[in-house]
Amino acid sequence: MKDIGEYERTRQLNIARNEAFLKDIGLHQVKKDIASSSCSERQLAGTKRKQRSVSHEIEKTRRRSSRLQKISTDDKLEQDSDNVHQGAISTDRQQLKKSYYKEASFGDDSDKRKRITPQILLDYILARSEEHYNSSTSSLVVHTVDRINSMSIQQLQNRMTKITTAQKMILFYYGLSCADLDDLAESAKEKLKTMFKIYV
């Protein structure tokens, strides 16, 4: 038998120690149960075939980067604008950053809003209230920006009636103000005063 190295010796000692510990606490039987209940090779092969066919379907529908699709930035911005017109939520955060203030329109000429990004919203909040800036979580900021960029005026009004926490309403107010949706921002401000006794 070959002389085993220091690493392998330490490894074997750790394995022996861990197995002894499992035996002491009564979990060694669980390891045997798991080994005996594992599926047969035939069942496993069938599962792999199913997984491959599902993953092949996912590959067909998977989003790909603009670079891999050989789409220029201007074309990508145009596609994102079309998605906004249809009310789809843009999940490409990098595109949001590139298209800062692109006007979004939902078929209503009176709805000319600024496209905002999470960073733009955070900068806007910081310029007005350090306290509100410090209490803003990044996930909530991203969620608010997605809502404001993707929803119609009517959807935003409906959404405002469903907001029940002060923190969400504060971010919603700042987001609407930043996007130049002044009427909605004023409604959010009033709701902050009446429901939460917060004056911004």
Side-chain angles (χ1 to χ4, degrees):
M1 187 168 139
K2 275 187 168 178
D3 185 32
I4 59 174
E6 181 65 29
Y7 171 79
E8 187 62 26
R9 202 173 305 118
T10 305
R11 182 176 169 273
Q12 293 299 330
L13 286 172
N14 285 338
I15 290 171
R17 188 189 68 221
N18 289 341
E19 285 181 355
F21 175 72
L22 288 175
K23 198 176 223 180
D24 286 346
I25 63 172
L27 289 180
H28 69 286
Q29 187 60 38
V30 174
K31 184 177 176 183
K32 290 177 186 174
D33 292 344
I34 290 172
S36 66
S37 69
S38 64
C39 39
S40 69
E41 289 296 320
R42 178 176 279 177
Q43 290 171 329
L44 190 58
T47 305
K48 286 182 180 176
R49 272 196 298 275
K50 286 178 191 172
Q51 286 175 346
R52 258 187 250 126
S53 67
V54 168
S55 67
H56 182 66
E57 290 298 315
I58 291 171
E59 269 307 310
K60 287 182 182 176
T61 60
R62 180 178 282 169
R63 291 184 334 108
R64 292 177 46 202
S65 72
S66 336
R67 179 184 57 81
L68 291 175
Q69 292 177 7
K70 298 185 173 147
I71 297 174
S72 72
T73 306
D74 294 336
D75 293 340
K76 183 67 175 159
L77 288 175
E78 217 169 275
Q79 285 177 357
D80 280 355
S81 176
D82 291 343
N83 286 344
V84 169
H85 288 291
Q86 295 166 7
I89 295 176
S90 172
T91 57
D92 189 353
R93 309 239 187 279
Q94 294 300 321
Q95 265 328 105
L96 284 176
K97 287 182 180 176
K98 289 179 184 174
S99 59
Y100 292 155
Y101 291 116
K102 187 174 175 130
E103 290 180 340
S105 173
F106 296 88
D108 180 6
D109 288 335
S110 66
D111 180 15
K112 299 289 185 197
R113 71 182 81 171
K114 290 180 184 175
R115 289 282 308 272
I116 59 174
T117 66
Q119 189 58 51
I120 289 173
L121 180 54
L122 285 171
D123 292 344
Y124 185 85
I125 295 169
L126 181 60
R128 282 147 186 81
S129 169
E130 193 170 336
E131 178 188 351
H132 292 155
Y133 174 82
N134 290 333
S135 67
S136 301
T137 63
S138 59
S139 60
L140 195 52
V141 169
V142 168
H143 176 77
T144 302
V145 167
D146 278 346
R147 293 278 179 155
I148 290 171
N149 284 336
S150 65
M151 291 179 144
S152 68
I153 297 291
Q154 184 60 49
Q155 289 170 326
L156 288 170
Q157 286 172 338
N158 292 341
R159 182 69 198 136
M160 198 181 327
T161 62
K162 294 179 174 110
I163 295 175
T164 57
T165 66
Q167 186 181 18
K168 285 182 181 179
M169 185 55 77
I170 288 169
L171 276 177
F172 204 64
Y173 162 73
Y174 282 123
L176 293 170
S177 297
C178 185
D180 287 343
L181 295 171
D182 298 328
D183 293 341
L184 285 174
E186 199 57 41
S187 298
K189 189 176 184 178
E190 283 302 314
K191 188 169 182 179
L192 279 168
K193 284 180 193 173
T194 56
M195 283 186 67
F196 305 108
K197 306 294 186 240
I198 296 174
Y199 300 91
V200 286

